[in-house]
Amino acid sequence: MDSYRASGKLVRDRIPQIIREDGAEPVTYTAAPAEYRSRLRDKLGEEVAEFLTADEDAAPEELADVLEVVRALAADLGIDAEQLEKIRETKASERGGFAERIVWTGNC
């Protein structure tokens, strides 16, 4: 495995084109399926960390990045956005959502 593969990071599909438009030539390769899934998981952690440190103005854009990675992970698992939403709805129906801001501190 060359150094690019060891140190590279997963980027959005248009990033190489944007780099070219800025006058540089990106060095890229297409990840194999197992590497792609691993890098998506890494990317999710990266995007969540960026969201957690974002101020209120930047938070919506960072949250959209998290959603983009979640959708890519779902697609990689063979689940489309509609199926993912149905799974979310089922869990919310069975266990609730987070709208009521309930904090559990243990049992008596």
Side-chain angles (χ1 to χ4, degrees):
M1 182 181 295
D2 62 43
S3 63
Y4 293 111
R5 291 176 191 248
S7 64
K9 73 175 198 170
L10 189 65
V11 295
R12 288 175 175 265
D13 298 340
R14 292 195 60 240
I15 296 301
Q17 176 186 343
I18 292 167
I19 292 170
R20 283 185 198 98
E21 289 169 358
D22 286 343
E25 186 57 36
V27 177
T28 66
Y29 69 94
T30 301
E35 180 186 4
Y36 176 61
R37 184 170 288 175
S38 175
R39 288 191 182 267
L40 275 174
R41 289 171 183 248
D42 292 345
K43 180 60 85 172
L44 180 60
E46 175 188 325
E47 297 298 350
V48 167
E50 289 176 7
F51 169 74
L52 292 174
T53 60
D55 61 24
E56 265 189 55
D57 292 333
E61 187 170 323
E62 297 301 339
L63 193 55
D65 289 343
V66 171
L67 183 57
E68 189 69 29
V69 176
V70 167
R71 287 183 174 175
L73 280 162
D76 186 59
L77 294 170
I79 302 166
D80 65 24
E82 186 176 305
Q83 289 171 299
L84 186 60
E85 178 60 16
K86 285 180 183 174
I87 294 167
R88 187 205 63 76
E89 287 173 352
T90 298
K91 283 196 86 166
S93 175
E94 292 172 357
R95 301 183 65 102
F98 297 96
E100 295 182 21
R101 302 184 309 230
I102 296 169
V103 177
W104 178 56
T105 60
N107 297 334
C108 296

